[in-house]
Structures are given as C-alpha cells and as structure tokens.
Amino acid sequence: MAGNSSRRGAVRKQSKKPTAGSGGRVKRGLEGKGPTPKATEREYHKAHKIAQAKKAAAAKKGGRGGPRRKGSDAEWIAGRNSVVEALREKVPVTSVYVAEGAERDNRLREVFRLAAEQGVGLLEVSRGELDRLTDGAAHQGLAARIPAYEYAHPDDLLDLAEEAGQAPLVVMLDSITDPRNLGAIVRSAAGFGAHGVVIPERRAASMTAAAWKTSAGAAARCPVAQATNLTRQIQAYQEAGCFVVGLAADGDLTLPELAADDDLAKGPLVIVVGSEGDGLSRLVSENCDRLLSIPMAGVLESLNAGVAASVALYAVAEARARR
C-alpha cells in the first residue's frame, strides 16, 4: 500500500537526534559513577551487615567505656550554711547566686573567699529572681547551682581496676533510698580502695547535693555508675569473673572467713549492700554467689547500710594489704 513506509525500497526519514554512539545516548552510559563504595557502605554486602550488627549491640549495651549518662537536671543548694558546707566539701558548684542587698555576714564572706579560690562564678540577682530559681526555698539571700551528675557505665569500673593492675573491688547498692547513706558509702569506697559504686537507675537515691556533701568530696574521686537492671548487672560481673557477695544478717559466709580466704578477698569482688529497711531484694539475693554476714558481739538487729558497707570494705582492704 502507498501509505506503508515499511515496504521494501522505501526511503526512511532521517531523525534530527544524534546517532547513538560515543557522542550520543551511549555517552551517558559511559560517564563515571565515582569511586566504588566501601564494603561497609553497600547494604547488600556482608561487611555492611556485620558493621550494623556491631552498632546495634553497642547501642543495646550502652557502650563499655562509652559516654557517661547524665543525671537529672541541675540542682540548687539554698541557704547560707548549706552553700558554705557545699563549697567546703568541694561539691562541684558551677555558680553562686547572691540576692541584691543581702547582709554581708561571716558566712557570706567565706562563700566569696571559697568561690574565688575554686574559680566559681558569683552572680548578683534580685531576691525575686532567686526565689524563682530556687522554687521558693528559704535561701537567705544565697544559693548555689550544681550540674547534673555524670554517671559512669558499670563496665568502666572494671576498666579502672585493669588500668591500675588491681583485682576489681566494686560496691553495689540494692535500693538505698537515703542520699546521705549513698554519700557515706561512696566515701568509704574511695577510702578503702574500691573502684566504684553501682546504683540502680530507678527507685533509689541518686547523686544529689546531699549525697555529694556526705561523701566529703569523695564522689569526685570514686565513680558512681547506674545500672538499668541490678540483677542483670550482677550476672554481667559474674561473667567477667567477679565473685559477688551480698550483705545479709543470716549469711552463710562470715566476714572473717571471707577476709581469711585470699582467693576471695584478693580476687575480683563485688559487695552488694541492701536497702536500709528491707535488706537485699529476693532476686538480688538469689543471684549472689554467697551471702555475707558480719558477726557482732551484742544483740543487734542490723547495722546501718553505710556502716555495714564500711566494715566490709575495711576487712577486704586489710586482707588485700597483707603480703
């Protein structure tokens, strides 16, 4: 048919587009695509899957030796005596706030001197502003601000022991709710050579200003770590080779027996201290390797948690000092 351009001998119309070749459509296919991505960057590659699995595991664990977990928001210490005591005990005060027109007595002058010696900033604000900052506390024209405490990771304490070439000695606290007891235990832990203190993340005392003051500055030298789950952390320490003992009045292992056993006293050791009223919780108690009792001459129901921890730490420190 006359209209059929595909018949034999028909003349094909030439396209205005360039012929496919080195200067045509194929040129785009020959253009460089940049350097070949690394194996870890190619989603289908085995190396990428391994790297992603490692990242997920590290995120789940929290990262041994990783960044410290910050506590709650910054805290305020209100009142002249409280601020003076905080500065005397080297609590990490970031700034001191003085109300306009505040009476310059001996305590205020001491605050000025200590703040200057420790490089702490002094700010003068209106009394109304100080009321607002301290949430209406009885500040007596003086308040101090301390930052949120930076908690260590529980594994950091094992690393500290390893770096010092020593067997780990760790104190764990099972639901200690009094910050003064926490501070006292941190002070004892620092004084008797422990590598740190582990506390639960919830339903327990944290490193507040009261704990800082009671520690008498020891909290700056002895790290405090938070554990999401105390039972799992006990198991993790056991897997790392630590022997875990829980303080209990009816414990089957006495403190003198522990101190006399070089393998226990001088080896990797974790001492778990129970709460002020209830002692060790059931799960924590069941997961300890042994329960440790402190013999006493008189009839006494139990020792204060801070005192019990100090006695146990002293006995272990004495045993470790023996040649």
Side-chain angles (χ1 to χ4, degrees), residues 35 85 100 125 130 143-144 149 160 174-175 189 254 261 277 290-291 312 314 318:
E85 290 172 9
E100 294 173 349
V125 296
L130 199 55
Y149 184 81
L160 285 174
D174 182 12
S175 303
T254 67
D261 189 327
R290 297 287 295 273
L291 294 181
Y314 173 76
E318 282 289 291

Side-chain angles (χ1 to χ4, degrees), residues 192-212:
F192 294 124
H195 298 99
V197 176
V198 179
I199 63 175
E201 188 177 337
R202 295 179 296 274
R203 296 185 294 276
S206 56
M207 286 305 297
T208 61
W212 263 105

Side-chain angles (χ1 to χ4, degrees), residues 7-267:
R7 75 180 187 278
R8 185 177 298 178
V11 178
R12 190 183 301 274
K13 292 184 180 181
Q14 185 175 359
S15 172
K16 294 182 181 181
K17 296 180 180 179
T19 305
S22 61
R25 289 189 298 272
V26 177
K27 182 178 180 181
R28 290 193 297 274
L30 297 176
E31 290 177 353
K33 296 182 179 179
T36 302
K38 296 178 181 178
T40 54
E41 296 174 356
R42 286 177 263 167
E43 294 184 1
Y44 57 84
H45 201 283
K46 182 179 179 181
H48 173 80
K49 295 176 181 178
I50 293 174
Q52 292 299 107
K54 286 182 178 179
K55 285 182 181 179
K60 184 178 180 181
K61 181 179 180 182
R64 178 165 179 164
R68 294 188 166 198
R69 178 190 297 139
K70 280 192 176 289
S72 55
D73 294 336
E75 188 180 355
W76 287 91
I77 302 172
R80 301 198 174 200
N81 288 334
S82 298
V83 174
V84 169
E85 290 172 9
L87 290 171
R88 285 175 182 169
E89 300 299 343
K90 302 294 193 301
V91 174
V93 173
T94 55
S95 49
V96 172
Y97 289 71
V98 184
E100 294 173 349
E103 179 188 354
R104 265 50 173 178
D105 61 4
N106 290 336
R107 291 171 298 176
L108 195 57
R109 282 188 283 271
E110 184 176 0
V111 165
F112 290 163
R113 178 180 61 79
L114 291 171
E117 291 174 356
Q118 298 174 22
V120 176
L122 284 167
L123 296 92
E124 188 174 47
V125 296
S126 68
R127 189 167 290 273
E129 177 67 6
L130 199 55
D131 289 340
R132 185 187 67 79
L133 291 172
T134 60
D135 198 23
H139 51 69
Q140 300 171 303
L142 186 66
R145 186 176 186 271
I146 63 172
Y149 184 81
E150 290 189 4
Y151 293 97
H153 187 280
D155 288 342
D156 292 341
L157 312 187
L158 302 184
D159 293 338
L160 285 174
E162 184 178 354
E163 291 168 7
Q166 300 169 345
L169 176 57
V170 176
V171 182
M172 296 186 78
L173 307 184
D174 182 12
S175 303
I176 298 290
T177 56
D178 187 340
R180 292 168 297 182
N181 261 340
L182 170 58
I185 292 170
V186 170
R187 186 175 185 176
S188 296
F192 294 124
H195 298 99
V197 176
V198 179
I199 63 175
E201 188 177 337
R202 295 179 296 274
R203 296 185 294 276
S206 56
M207 286 305 297
T208 61
W212 263 105
K213 285 194 293 183
T214 310
S215 78
R221 305 186 303 274
C222 181
V224 177
Q226 276 188 330
T228 305
N229 185 292
L230 216 59
T231 302
R232 284 202 296 266
Q233 188 55 51
I234 286 174
Q235 295 167 352
Y237 277 150
Q238 288 168 330
E239 290 173 5
C242 295
F243 189 78
V244 180
V245 296
L247 293 183
D250 57 351
D252 59 337
L253 175 68
T254 67
L255 185 56
E257 289 172 339
L258 172 70
D261 189 327
D262 285 350
D263 290 337
L264 294 182
K266 296 184 179 181

